Amino acid sequence: MKIMLAPDLHCYYNNYGKVLPNGKHSRFEDWESTAAWLLQHAVDNDIDVAVFPGDFFKNSRPDPEQVLSVAELLNTFATYGIEVIGCPGNHDLLGAGKTGPVDLVKSLCDDMYVGITNVPDVFRCCHDTVNIAVLPNIKPAGLIDAVADPAEMAMLISQKLVDIARSLIVQCHEIGPGCKNVLIGHWTISGSVASSGQLLYGSTEPVIPLNELLAMEWDAVLFGHIHKAQVLNEKPFVGYAGALERVDFGEEDDPRGCYIIDLDSGSYEWIDLPARKFCTISADIKSSDDIAALYEDLSLSLAHNKATNKIVRVKYKVAEELAPMVDHSEIMRLLQAAAPAYIAGIFPEIEMTDRSREASVTEDTGPIDALKKWLDAKDIHGEIIRGQIIGLAMDLITEVLSE
């Protein structure tokens, strides 16, 4: 019995892209391509059920084309005999009790194979051998009464979610004793890690304790919401599949794919998806040689296809005095030669020179005396060069005063 944990679809991000000659956004084409691979992997691996635990869209007001595309994807799963179970995520919600875009998707899908709910519920799948309980994301107003303190509200919602999950496992045992029981949802589970590497414990966001879920003895817990794919527990499987596409450079190193869980054996497998990649080319410039090395690195990126077909940016640190020597037009030329999908930009971080003032120089210090102190501070002691500099300064002062 195989279940696919599909990632958050987020159809689609329109950053770092462009409108193509055919009128379609390049990032929408990326989304369609990756979604097609997701479907093909489901077919190739004889998946019985595909679960989509929330965030079908990047916001709660998608274009009609996005709604139709998601509905078409889910219906195509159904045409291959793959049952689909899903629920809204926090990005899909308009408000408590309001009809949202996921409701529109549901109305466009085949009820026999596609089950989508915006309230906690249980679906019986695989000829009534598997119970899939759903814990969709819900606005706080739909769960508890308003509380002034955000941290207290998060704690109360967390406890409410645990109570709902307990009631769902009881319902599963009542309607299908002896069946496999799977929980899907769109929330943060304790111990999960964000793309930034931050461990998510919860403060003002509700967090469901992992140990509470394990104590309920689900056969698998398949969640959405966290964009970094991860396994929080192996047996039973508890984890996230991440997102279908990368949002930005903060997710540059995150893999993109899905998990396939075998409920009979308890094993699982990760499947990579060819989502559009992001690439950052970095440099730390402390000399003119480092500038040449940056150009060389860009040339090698071209030679080794490091940036080809990727969303690319260049970031570099540079000392203030060297900044004017970095040629952005040359960087752009080299980037364009690598044929990236999109150039996000060139981002310098200029390290300003610390200009400490000589303490003995005051408002009463004459310009020539101040110049001599500056020459001393710069360790310029040669009589000839000092004489030339001071002579030029005196000529300049005389010229200014004579005008």
Side-chain angles (χ1 to χ4, degrees), residues 224-298:
H225 187 44
I226 307 300
H227 285 193
K228 186 178 182 67
Q230 56 201 281
V231 178
L232 303 179
N233 193 78
E234 294 199 344
K235 287 193 176 182
F237 178 94
V238 180
Y240 295 90
L244 189 72
E245 291 283 327
R246 294 173 178 86
V247 182
D248 51 34
F249 285 93
E251 298 178 2
E252 178 177 349
D253 296 327
D254 291 347
R256 286 295 176 254
C258 61
Y259 281 109
I260 295 176
I261 298 93
D262 188 321
L263 288 180
D264 294 325
S265 66
S267 61
Y268 64 90
E269 178 185 6
W270 170 259
I271 302 291
D272 281 309
L273 292 172
R276 181 74 66 189
K277 293 183 178 180
F278 283 66
C279 171
T280 299
I281 298 173
S282 303
D284 191 359
I285 297 173
K286 296 181 178 178
S287 69
S288 57
D289 289 341
D290 292 331
I291 298 175
L294 171 59
Y295 299 154
E296 179 67 19
D297 186 27
L298 290 166

Side-chain angles (χ1 to χ4, degrees), residues 28-351:
F28 191 18
E29 281 205 345
D30 289 348
W31 184 91
E32 289 182 314
S33 175
T34 309
W37 277 89
L38 180 71
L39 172 65
Q40 191 59 52
H41 281 304
V43 174
D44 292 344
N45 285 276
D46 296 322
I47 297 301
D48 296 291
V49 183
V51 298
F52 293 83
D55 280 359
F56 290 93
F57 305 101
K58 68 183 181 73
N59 59 47
S60 59
R61 300 183 185 277
D63 294 332
E65 185 178 38
Q66 293 167 283
V67 174
L68 292 171
S69 294
V70 170
E72 181 183 2
L73 174 66
L74 302 188
N75 277 324
T76 307
F77 271 85
T79 62
Y80 284 98
I82 300 170
E83 295 180 78
V84 173
I85 305 297
C87 65
N90 57 303
H91 284 266
D92 302 319
L93 300 176
L94 275 172
K98 290 187 177 181
T99 300
V102 178
D103 296 297
L104 298 178
V105 170
K106 180 180 179 181
S107 69
L108 295 169
C109 287
D110 183 347
D111 287 341
M112 293 206 43
Y113 282 93
V114 180
I116 298 175
T117 180
N118 53 15
V119 296
D121 202 354
V122 176
F123 292 93
R124 306 207 68 194
C125 302
C126 304
H127 306 291
D128 294 340
T129 60
V130 177
N131 298 318
I132 297 186
V134 185
L135 188 59
N137 200 277
I138 302 171
K139 292 285 187 182
L143 289 169
I144 63 169
D145 294 330
V147 177
D149 184 356
E152 182 184 359
M153 177 174 281
M155 181 183 67
L156 292 173
I157 292 175
S158 298
Q159 185 56 56
K160 182 68 174 179
L161 294 173
V162 170
D163 292 342
I164 294 173
R166 285 200 188 105
S167 68
L168 287 171
I169 191 67
V170 170
Q171 186 178 347
C172 287
H173 290 316
E174 288 176 347
I175 65 175
C179 294
K180 298 290 185 180
N181 299 309
V182 176
L183 176 68
I184 77 169
H186 192 91
W187 299 93
T188 299
I189 300 174
S190 65
S192 54
V193 179
S195 295
S196 63
Q198 178 185 3
L199 187 62
L200 301 172
Y201 289 104
S203 53
T204 59
E205 179 179 349
V207 173
I208 302 175
L210 175 61
N211 64 323
E212 294 276 12
L213 294 173
L214 294 176
M216 297 175 203
E217 299 185 348
W218 296 97
D219 292 289
V221 177
L222 313 177
F223 268 41
H225 187 44
I226 307 300
H227 285 193
K228 186 178 182 67
Q230 56 201 281
V231 178
L232 303 179
N233 193 78
E234 294 199 344
K235 287 193 176 182
F237 178 94
V238 180
Y240 295 90
L244 189 72
E245 291 283 327
R246 294 173 178 86
V247 182
D248 51 34
F249 285 93
E251 298 178 2
E252 178 177 349
D253 296 327
D254 291 347
R256 286 295 176 254
C258 61
Y259 281 109
I260 295 176
I261 298 93
D262 188 321
L263 288 180
D264 294 325
S265 66
S267 61
Y268 64 90
E269 178 185 6
W270 170 259
I271 302 291
D272 281 309
L273 292 172
R276 181 74 66 189
K277 293 183 178 180
F278 283 66
C279 171
T280 299
I281 298 173
S282 303
D284 191 359
I285 297 173
K286 296 181 178 178
S287 69
S288 57
D289 289 341
D290 292 331
I291 298 175
L294 171 59
Y295 299 154
E296 179 67 19
D297 186 27
L298 290 166
S299 298
L300 289 173
S301 297
L302 168 62
H304 297 295
N305 297 322
K306 180 179 178 181
T308 302
N309 290 325
K310 298 177 183 176
I311 297 170
V312 183
R313 67 176 177 178
V314 173
K315 292 180 66 179
Y316 65 90
K317 289 183 179 180
V318 62
E320 182 183 8
E321 59 271 18
L322 292 173
M325 298 172 61
V326 181
D327 187 349
H328 281 203
S329 63
E330 177 64 7
I331 292 175
M332 286 296 292
R333 185 189 70 80
L334 292 166
L335 281 177
Q336 289 168 347
Y342 186 84
I343 298 175
I346 303 169
F347 304 95
E349 181 183 336
I350 299 176
E351 298 176 323

